[in-house]
Amino acid sequence: MRNVVCVVLDTARAKSTGPETTPTMTQLAAEGTTFENAFATAPWTLPSHASIFTGTYPSEHGTHGGHTYLDDDLRTLPEAFADAGYETVGVSNNTWITEEFGFDRGFDELRKGWQYVQSDADMGAVVRGEDLREKLQATRRRLFDGNPIVNAANILYSELFQPAGDDGADRSTTWIRNWLEGRDDDRPFFLFCNFIEPHVEYDPPKAYAEQFLPEDASYEEAVAIRQDPRAYDCEDYTLSDREFALLRGLYRAELAYVDDQLAELRTALEDAGEWTDTLFVVCGDHGEHVGEHGFFGHQYNLYDTLLNVPLVVHGGPFTDGGRRRDLVQLLDLPATLLESVGIDDLALLEQGSGRSIHPQSAAEPRDAVFAEYVAPQPSIERLEARFGEIPDRVRAFDRRLRAVRTAKHKYVRGDDGFERLHDIESDPLEHVDIAADGPEQVRALRERLEERFEPLADAEPAAAVEMREGTKERLADLGYL
């Protein structure tokens, strides 16, 4: 294989993908290899992407809610491809995956998909204004932050001309198509792309939404539902079963929309004559709760709803590979991609915990996968600053969590003594805690966790890294702050 393309469908959970919602990905799986038991190392974007880029677990790469920067001493996948002679291009539609948080290393270009004209100044505050007064205030405050002409163009696009129902995917695929058509570089390329459409807020085009909403529901009713996961957690408002049903319809519609953008990306590669020479990877970075276990969003816990993600690899040794049920992790991607194209980067491979899932790999298959939630995001203090008094249920989330999952059992432990055990074979949705009935299994899996990581009591989150004010506003819009 010559090229590598890695596409992350942000917030895509495995249970919601398939022929109905993601036919393009299903076709890729039929032609390539699908991994039914693929797991993220963390339940949200920043630490999960850091694991994909470095092959390390969150407590190893140290990138999490308490330390929001990918440290410079870690080798990244784009750096490995760049040093092997590849052209390296990234397109990010999630504001965590930018140079501000250390994800630009190794990229010849890392494009910010939420900006029509690429600029360091972010006009997101204008977009989020609740009324004309707020929009004008934000424009006055931000217009001269950088190039005012570029900022004005971005404001006009976002306020007047941006297509409804798209959070950057269409612009991204268009840009990638133009880039492919204009390339005159003989080097192979590594392309990374994050599509954020399945992330809150769910606002798919109306035609997509109507395919997945209940028959007795209207598009207008669905999009009128408040979507604020942190406010829901803190009991600032409630959602009925019907409202969650409608939100799940919108979420599935977002997956369908971004799957069509995936088809556009494939067509662009085919038209450029690159498809047959490309190893094409599609995965989710984490999942989502849309009412499951009493949660909305993807924070504060390690249920499979958040960790089990789609993973499809197409091309080269993965052609006609069928469906694999072995346990794999997203942090296995660096070792897998390097082996698939014949790159030997010891610095990247030796720093990590990944195992190649190449069909001919000599790596031992996993008998367990692991995940971590190193620090609450947002912190309990920030929730208190926003909502005042918060429920005891939410205050209990102020803890570190780790999970180990085998083919049969799932065990989760917190640094506050919290623990749960589930029989995955009989209880795949993790509804029944059997920890009290299986002390020997609990002890064995707790030992597995302590073999993999240091004891929870000895683990200390790194110091926080301050972020720019404009980035805070954009992340708040995504429900992180």
Side-chain angles (χ1 to χ4, degrees):
M1 301 305 295
R2 172 180 165 85
N3 311 308
V4 175
V5 174
C6 182
V7 181
V8 173
L9 306 184
D10 204 293
T11 319
R13 61 188 191 182
K15 67 176 290 185
S16 294
T17 60
E20 184 179 3
T21 52
T22 54
T24 300
M25 187 162 61
T26 300
Q27 181 61 35
L28 287 168
E31 299 170 3
T33 303
T34 184
F35 294 85
E36 296 182 356
N37 290 305
F39 290 86
T41 64
W44 66 289
T45 292
L46 184 72
S48 181
H49 275 75
S51 292
I52 294 171
F53 276 42
T54 65
T56 59
Y57 287 102
S59 61
E60 296 171 336
H61 58 60
T63 311
H64 48 71
H67 180 83
T68 55
Y69 188 79
L70 183 61
D71 288 335
D72 293 342
D73 59 353
L74 286 166
R75 180 78 164 165
T76 68
L77 187 59
E79 287 178 313
F81 278 106
D83 288 349
Y86 279 62
E87 182 181 5
T88 54
V89 173
V91 179
S92 172
N93 286 286
N94 189 311
T95 53
W96 284 114
I97 313 304
T98 67
E99 69 277 5
E100 182 167 353
F101 301 107
F103 286 90
D104 60 325
R105 296 201 310 278
F107 282 115
D108 297 324
E109 180 176 4
L110 179 58
R111 181 178 175 83
K112 301 169 186 174
W114 60 92
Q115 294 183 341
Y116 184 69
V117 179
Q118 294 299 289
S119 171
D120 288 337
D122 188 352
M123 296 295 103
V126 180
V127 178
R128 292 186 298 277
E130 294 293 336
D131 52 30
L132 182 60
R133 179 184 58 83
E134 287 188 2
K135 291 180 181 293
L136 290 174
Q137 286 178 341
T139 299
R140 287 196 297 268
R141 190 170 64 249
R142 297 233 172 244
L143 185 61
F144 294 97
D145 181 10
N147 186 325
I149 297 176
V150 170
N151 293 343
N154 282 334
I155 291 170
L156 286 172
Y157 177 76
S158 64
E159 294 304 304
L160 298 177
F161 303 118
Q162 184 177 12
D166 182 273
D167 294 319
D170 182 64
R171 284 175 287 147
S172 296
T173 53
T174 299
W175 183 86
I176 292 170
R177 172 178 285 280
N178 293 336
W179 169 71
L180 288 168
E181 291 175 349
R183 284 187 84 234
D184 58 3
D185 197 323
D186 292 333
R187 293 178 297 167
F189 60 80
F190 169 73
L191 171 66
F192 165 82
C193 184
N194 171 293
F195 290 134
I196 200 170
E197 271 70 13
H199 197 290
V200 164
E201 292 184 2
Y202 317 137
D203 56 348
K206 183 176 181 179
Y208 285 82
E210 289 176 343
Q211 297 177 47
F212 294 96
L213 291 173
E215 290 185 2
D216 63 342
S218 69
Y219 172 77
E220 289 72 22
E221 179 189 2
V223 297
I225 298 171
R226 184 180 179 186
Q227 297 186 42
D228 189 340
R230 303 292 76 82
Y232 174 79
D233 290 341
C234 292
E235 300 177 359
D236 193 53
Y237 76 112
T238 62
L239 289 166
S240 67
D241 290 343
R242 176 178 173 81
E243 287 172 319
F244 269 127
L246 268 60
L247 288 174
R248 281 191 287 273
L250 293 178
Y251 173 72
R252 286 161 59 80
E254 291 280 32
L255 288 170
Y257 175 74
V258 81
D259 184 77
D260 279 352
Q261 295 298 321
L262 195 63
E264 291 294 323
L265 183 54
R266 174 176 181 165
T267 299
L269 288 161
E270 290 173 338
D271 291 347
E274 299 286 2
W275 179 251
T276 57
D277 289 329
T278 296
L279 187 70
F280 195 81
V281 180
V282 186
C283 66
D285 62 335
H286 56 76
E288 184 79 321
H289 281 132
V290 196
E292 295 86 358
H293 300 287
F295 286 98
F296 182 24
H298 46 268
Q299 296 291 343
Y300 305 128
N301 56 82
L302 293 175
Y303 289 107
D304 276 7
T305 326
L306 302 188
L307 300 177
N308 185 203
V309 294
L311 174 60
V312 172
V313 187
H314 179 282
F318 295 92
T319 301
D320 298 324
R323 306 183 71 85
R324 285 176 50 176
R325 295 189 56 80
D326 47 318
L327 294 169
V328 301
Q329 302 227 239
L330 294 183
L331 61 74
D332 295 329
L333 285 175
T336 304
L337 300 184
L338 295 185
E339 182 174 358
S340 297
V341 296
I343 296 175
D344 188 15
D345 192 299
L346 290 179
L348 178 57
L349 296 175
E350 291 180 354
Q351 78 180 7
S353 301
R355 305 182 188 185
S356 173
I357 55 176
H358 187 288
Q360 284 80 52
S361 175
E364 287 290 323
R366 295 184 179 277
D367 63 352
V369 292
F370 301 87
E372 297 182 277
Y373 191 63
V374 176
Q377 170 61 37
S379 69
I380 300 303
E381 290 75 20
R382 280 165 43 203
L383 291 177
E384 289 176 328
R386 179 183 173 189
F387 298 106
E389 186 60 32
I390 60 176
D392 290 341
R393 167 181 177 268
V394 176
R395 196 173 300 281
F397 300 152
D398 191 12
R399 61 190 174 202
R400 297 171 61 107
L401 293 174
R402 285 181 178 149
V404 54
R405 188 193 191 283
T406 67
K408 181 170 176 55
H409 288 102
K410 168 87 168 286
Y411 173 69
V412 183
R413 182 170 177 81
D415 64 356
D416 60 349
F418 168 87
E419 62 181 4
R420 289 180 68 93
L421 177 68
H422 298 279
D423 186 322
I424 295 299
E425 292 181 339
S426 63
D427 179 31
L429 299 181
E430 300 172 87
H431 288 315
V432 182
D433 177 14
I434 60 170
D437 300 324
E440 293 184 3
Q441 191 64 46
V442 166
R443 185 164 45 253
L445 291 175
R446 185 188 304 137
E447 290 175 356
R448 286 295 302 270
L449 280 179
E450 294 190 354
E451 288 171 5
R452 171 67 266 177
F453 309 107
E454 76 275 19
L456 276 167
D458 298 336
E460 291 293 335
V465 175
E466 184 64 20
M467 67 183 75
R468 290 194 294 268
E469 193 63 32
T471 303
K472 289 181 181 179
E473 292 174 348
R474 175 69 179 177
L475 296 175
D477 196 40
L478 292 174
Y480 284 115
L481 305 184

